């Protein structure tokens, strides 16, 4: 442990008598702190992980601290900034280009293995130019995606938000017409054919689409986006595809989005939403069916939850509190820029709460 003061604090909290012979997992924990955890963007100035871990553990009863430490050392899933950057860098060549090639092959009855013929077809270049990229949150990393495309995606095709003003839409269409003309595609009314909706993470899918049974209407970003697209000024509504590209998402979220978006698009007569996820988080990652009895007992205790975390936004997920995370996802997941509230409260509880989380979350919603 190169951070001796933090190590001493942790040893005191855990009642380790001999700091010269700490538990065998501590060198690994320090390595992970150096490589990942110290860089959590919501830590306060000067705060590091080992110190935060000691202060977090100190909130638990002495008999529960070992289980809490086991939770962190065995079950925590942390997506670092570098790992997200890697996912973004693979999105264009490994997913977007492949989908364009698939569409060209289907439209012109070309065998999928004839890669050179497909990529050299004029339609492939046309689809590249007529692709629109919209960020669904500040985690969409639109600039990183553009740079990773090697110049195939231009500034005029990408926007960091899904709510486009008429003025911005007009500018994008003017640039599209100029790009098509330069590439010898003559169109009187150029429109986009492929819509790529970009985001970093989804834990439950509720933010994107959900059904309000009381008002008998669909809510969420997907509804707003489709309504904007079907105004007809930006997209060729007779020939288009909409993709939701998530860098990572739980299987619960994927199933939720696919289920409710299929019902929404069928009801409205829209083209189906196609969900693509680069790094799926499978159900076994969730702590809902935790096999370790000590960790399971720890999660069941209500003492380690601050009721102030329960608000109207948590209620949308259908649970009475956020102890096991929004929509009861019970994830042990932390993102480098912010902990998702789909994870257990012990991980993301705000610093102002008692107890607070190991990786305190900054909420997107204003708190009063």
């Amino acid at each position: 442990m190169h951070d001796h003061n933090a190590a001493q604090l942790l040893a005191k909290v855990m009642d380790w008598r001999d700091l010269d012979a700490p538990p065998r997992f501590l060198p690994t924990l320090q390595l992970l702190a150096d490589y990942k955890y110290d860089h959590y963007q919501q830590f306060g100035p000067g705060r590091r992980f080992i110190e935060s871990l000691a202060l977090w553990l100190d909130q638990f009863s002495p008999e529960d601290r070992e289980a809490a430490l086991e939770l962190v050392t065995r079950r925590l899933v942390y997506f670092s900034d570098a790992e997200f950057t890697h996912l973004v860098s693979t999105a264009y060549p490994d997913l977007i280009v492949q989908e364009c090639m698939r569409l060209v092959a289907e439209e012109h009855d070309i065998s999928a293995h004839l890669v050179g013929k497909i990529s050299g077809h004029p339609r492939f270049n046309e689809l590249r130019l007529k692709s629109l990229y919209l960020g669904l949150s500040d985690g969409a990393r639109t600039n990183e995606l553009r740079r990773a495309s090697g110049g195939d995606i231009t500034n005029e095709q990408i926007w960091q938000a899904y709510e486009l003003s008429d003025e911005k839409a007009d500018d994008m269409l003017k640039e599209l017409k100029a790009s098509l003309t330069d590439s010898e595609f003559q169109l009187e009314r150029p429109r986009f054919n492929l819509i790529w909706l970009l985001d970093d993470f989804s834990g439950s899918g509720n933010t994107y689409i959900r059904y309000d049974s009381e008002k008998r209407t669909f809510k969420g970003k997907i509804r707003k986006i489709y309504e904007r697209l079907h105004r007809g000024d930006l997209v060729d509504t007779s020939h288009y595809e909409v993709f939701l590209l998530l860098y990572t998402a739980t299987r619960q979220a994927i199933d939720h989005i696919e289920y409710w978006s299929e019902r929404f698009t069928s009801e409205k007569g829209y083209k189906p939403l196609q969900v693509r996820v680069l790094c799926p988080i499978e159900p076994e990652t969730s702590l809902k069916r935790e096999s370790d009895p000590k960790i399971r007992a720890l999660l069941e205790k209500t003492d380690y939850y601050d009721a102030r975390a329960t608000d109207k936004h948590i209620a949308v997920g259908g649970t009475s509190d956020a102890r096991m995370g929004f929509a009861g996802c019970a994830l042990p997941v932390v993102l480098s820029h912010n902990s998702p509230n789909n994870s257990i409260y012990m991980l993301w509880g705000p610093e102002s709460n008692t107890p607070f989380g190991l990786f305190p979350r900054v909420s997107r919603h204003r708190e009063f």
Side-chain angles (χ1 to χ4, degrees):
M1 298 286 290
H2 61 71
D3 192 337
H4 189 69
N5 290 335
Q8 285 185 318
L9 179 61
L10 182 59
K12 182 178 180 181
V13 170
M14 295 303 297
D15 196 27
W16 294 328
R17 304 294 182 182
D18 186 2
L19 187 57
D20 293 328
R24 63 182 182 278
F25 59 76
L26 274 182
T28 301
L29 199 58
Q30 182 64 68
L31 177 64
L32 286 169
D34 293 340
Y35 181 65
K36 290 186 174 185
Y37 305 155
D38 281 347
H39 305 290
Y40 180 62
Q41 295 175 21
Q42 304 306 332
F43 279 157
R47 179 72 68 85
R48 289 189 172 186
F49 172 73
I50 299 298
E51 174 193 359
S52 299
L53 176 63
L55 295 174
W56 178 72
L57 288 169
D58 194 44
Q59 301 176 112
F60 295 90
S61 299
E63 63 271 16
D64 290 330
R65 289 172 188 169
E66 197 68 40
L69 191 58
E70 282 287 312
L71 173 66
V72 174
T73 56
R74 294 200 305 105
R75 301 294 274 119
L76 180 63
V77 177
Y78 186 102
F79 285 88
S80 69
D81 187 69
E83 287 166 333
F84 265 117
T85 296
H86 174 72
L87 288 174
V88 175
S89 69
T90 64
Y92 186 74
D94 291 354
L95 198 152
I96 295 173
V97 168
Q98 302 307 314
E99 290 292 346
C100 289
M101 294 184 70
R102 176 184 63 80
L103 291 169
V104 173
E106 291 175 357
E107 287 179 8
H108 297 276
D109 196 24
I110 303 174
S111 296
H113 70 277
L114 299 176
V115 176
K117 185 175 182 179
I118 296 171
S119 60
H121 197 284
R123 178 58 172 164
F124 180 78
N125 189 40
E126 184 181 1
L127 285 179
R128 179 181 66 81
L129 296 171
K130 296 169 77 173
S131 291
L132 175 65
Y133 301 87
L134 302 176
L136 300 188
S137 75
D138 55 4
R141 298 178 177 236
T142 52
N143 285 338
E144 290 184 35
L145 179 70
R146 177 178 57 80
R147 291 191 292 269
S149 73
D152 283 355
I153 301 175
T154 65
N155 276 324
E156 293 72 30
Q157 292 175 267
I158 200 163
W159 191 241
Q160 64 270 25
Y162 62 92
E163 295 178 301
L164 283 166
S165 66
D166 292 341
E167 182 180 359
K168 179 60 183 177
D170 288 342
D171 288 343
M172 298 182 92
L173 289 172
K174 288 177 183 177
E175 293 296 336
L176 174 60
K177 185 173 183 179
S179 298
L180 291 170
T181 301
D182 291 343
S183 300
E184 300 180 354
F185 295 108
Q186 298 296 327
L187 290 173
E188 290 298 321
R189 296 187 66 218
R191 296 291 183 271
F192 290 101
N193 286 150
L194 303 185
I195 313 301
W196 295 92
L197 310 175
L198 311 169
D199 214 346
D200 58 345
F201 170 79
S202 180
S204 67
N206 280 265
T207 301
Y208 301 99
I209 189 163
R210 60 187 183 276
Y211 185 72
D212 188 328
S213 57
E214 291 184 1
K215 297 182 179 180
R216 295 185 179 181
T217 186
F218 289 94
K219 293 184 176 182
K221 296 178 181 180
I222 298 301
R223 179 185 67 82
K224 295 178 181 178
I225 291 167
Y226 268 93
E227 289 174 353
R228 177 63 183 87
L229 298 180
H230 273 261
R231 284 168 51 179
D233 59 333
L234 195 62
V235 172
D236 180 358
T237 54
S238 66
H239 189 72
Y240 71 99
E241 304 281 346
V242 182
F243 295 90
L244 174 60
L245 197 168
L246 301 170
Y247 303 134
T248 184
T250 66
R251 188 62 58 183
Q252 177 180 337
I254 296 169
D255 292 344
H256 174 94
I257 296 169
E258 290 181 337
Y259 179 86
W260 287 111
S261 66
E262 192 278 329
R263 278 148 184 77
F264 166 70
T265 54
S266 296
E267 179 183 299
K268 300 295 183 180
Y270 298 152
K271 290 289 291 292
L273 177 72
Q274 302 181 58
V275 182
R276 302 289 186 268
V277 180
L278 289 169
C279 181
I281 300 173
E282 299 300 342
E284 53 266 26
T285 303
S286 173
L287 299 171
K288 290 179 181 178
R289 301 177 182 85
E290 174 57 41
S291 58
D292 188 312
K294 292 183 179 179
I295 294 179
R296 189 168 63 247
L298 179 70
L299 295 173
E300 291 172 353
K301 291 191 175 183
T302 58
D303 295 342
Y304 304 130
Y305 179 70
D306 191 323
R308 288 177 293 177
T310 303
D311 57 21
K312 64 180 182 180
H313 305 294
I314 293 297
V316 172
T319 57
S320 59
D321 61 43
R323 189 165 49 91
M324 297 300 284
F326 180 84
C329 293
L331 297 176
V333 173
V334 174
L335 312 181
S336 60
H337 59 280
N338 210 10
S339 294
N341 63 0
N342 305 101
S343 290
I344 57 173
Y345 172 83
M346 290 180 191
L347 291 179
W348 62 261
E351 283 188 303
S352 58
N353 287 12
T354 305
F356 55 83
L358 178 57
F359 295 94
R361 169 181 171 80
V362 173
S363 175
R364 293 186 297 111
H365 305 287
R366 184 180 298 275
E367 297 177 1
F368 297 95

